[in-house]
Amino acid sequence: MDRATVLAAERRRLRWRARRGLLENDLLITRFLDRHEEGLSGEDIAAFDRLLDLPDNELLDLLLERVPVPARIDTDPMRSLLARLRAS
Protein backbone atom coordinates (compact mmCIF):
# COMPACT_ATOMS: atom_id res chain seq x y z
CA MET A 1 0.00 0.00 0.00
CA ASP A 2 1.45 3.41 -0.92
CA ARG A 3 1.85 6.28 1.55
CA ALA A 4 -1.07 8.29 0.13
CA THR A 5 -3.41 5.33 0.59
CA VAL A 6 -2.19 4.80 4.15
CA LEU A 7 -2.71 8.49 5.00
CA ALA A 8 -6.22 8.42 3.52
CA ALA A 9 -7.09 5.39 5.67
CA GLU A 10 -5.62 7.08 8.75
CA ARG A 11 -7.70 10.21 8.07
CA ARG A 12 -10.89 8.13 7.82
CA ARG A 13 -10.03 6.37 11.08
CA LEU A 14 -9.33 9.73 12.69
CA ARG A 15 -12.74 11.09 11.66
CA TRP A 16 -14.44 8.02 13.14
CA ARG A 17 -12.43 8.30 16.34
CA ALA A 18 -13.20 12.03 16.61
CA ARG A 19 -16.85 11.31 17.43
CA ARG A 20 -17.10 12.42 21.03
CA GLY A 21 -19.54 12.38 23.92
CA LEU A 22 -19.74 16.17 24.13
CA LEU A 23 -21.56 17.94 21.33
CA GLU A 24 -19.20 20.91 21.60
CA ASN A 25 -16.19 18.69 20.87
CA ASP A 26 -18.01 17.07 17.97
CA LEU A 27 -18.83 20.44 16.44
CA LEU A 28 -15.34 21.87 16.79
CA ILE A 29 -13.53 18.78 15.57
CA THR A 30 -15.94 17.99 12.73
CA ARG A 31 -15.78 21.56 11.45
CA PHE A 32 -11.99 21.38 11.45
CA LEU A 33 -11.91 18.00 9.71
CA ASP A 34 -14.43 19.15 7.10
CA ARG A 35 -12.08 21.99 6.18
CA HIS A 36 -8.64 20.45 6.68
CA GLU A 37 -8.83 16.65 6.65
CA GLU A 38 -7.26 16.19 3.22
CA GLY A 39 -4.26 18.30 4.17
CA LEU A 40 -3.40 16.49 7.40
CA SER A 41 0.08 15.00 7.38
CA GLY A 42 1.15 11.87 9.19
CA GLU A 43 2.59 14.08 11.95
CA ASP A 44 -0.75 15.93 12.23
CA ILE A 45 -2.64 12.65 12.47
CA ALA A 46 -0.32 11.40 15.21
CA ALA A 47 -0.85 14.64 17.18
CA PHE A 48 -4.62 14.40 16.64
CA ASP A 49 -4.59 10.81 17.95
CA ARG A 50 -2.86 11.97 21.13
CA LEU A 51 -5.38 14.79 21.46
CA LEU A 52 -8.26 12.35 21.12
CA ASP A 53 -6.83 10.25 23.95
CA LEU A 54 -7.88 13.02 26.34
CA PRO A 55 -11.16 12.80 28.27
CA ASP A 56 -13.96 14.88 26.74
CA ASN A 57 -13.97 17.66 29.33
CA GLU A 58 -10.19 18.03 29.24
CA LEU A 59 -10.29 18.11 25.45
CA LEU A 60 -12.94 20.83 25.41
CA ASP A 61 -11.01 22.93 27.93
CA LEU A 62 -7.93 22.60 25.76
CA LEU A 63 -9.77 23.47 22.54
CA LEU A 64 -11.30 26.55 24.18
CA GLU A 65 -7.91 27.57 25.65
CA ARG A 66 -9.19 27.34 29.21
CA VAL A 67 -6.11 25.34 30.20
CA PRO A 68 -2.53 25.16 28.92
CA VAL A 69 -1.38 22.19 26.86
CA PRO A 70 -0.48 19.39 29.29
CA ALA A 71 3.27 18.74 29.43
CA ARG A 72 2.77 15.09 28.40
CA ILE A 73 1.47 16.16 24.96
CA ASP A 74 3.13 19.59 24.60
CA THR A 75 5.01 19.29 21.31
CA ASP A 76 5.43 21.58 18.31
CA PRO A 77 3.07 19.47 16.15
CA MET A 78 0.45 19.52 18.94
CA ARG A 79 0.68 23.30 19.39
CA SER A 80 0.39 23.75 15.63
CA LEU A 81 -2.63 21.45 15.42
CA LEU A 82 -4.35 23.18 18.34
CA ALA A 83 -3.77 26.60 16.78
CA ARG A 84 -5.41 25.41 13.56
CA LEU A 85 -8.29 23.75 15.43
CA ARG A 86 -8.94 26.92 17.41
CA ALA A 87 -8.86 29.07 14.28
CA SER A 88 -11.38 26.93 12.41
Side-chain angles (χ1 to χ4, degrees), residues 10-22 25-26 28-30 32-33 40 44-60 62-63 72-73 78 81-82 85:
E10 288 176 2
R11 287 187 202 108
R12 285 190 304 276
R13 181 191 51 77
L14 186 67
R15 183 174 283 274
W16 176 257
R17 189 163 178 241
R19 296 175 36 185
R20 305 300 295 204
L22 287 178
N25 284 341
D26 279 346
L28 292 168
I29 293 169
T30 299
F32 173 81
L33 289 173
L40 293 176
D44 293 331
I45 292 169
F48 222 127
D49 270 334
R50 295 211 56 206
L51 194 63
L52 294 175
D53 286 340
L54 298 173
D56 284 338
N57 290 326
E58 189 176 344
L59 175 59
L60 182 60
L62 193 55
L63 292 174
R72 69 186 184 278
I73 62 169
M78 182 63 72
L81 176 64
L82 283 168
L85 270 158

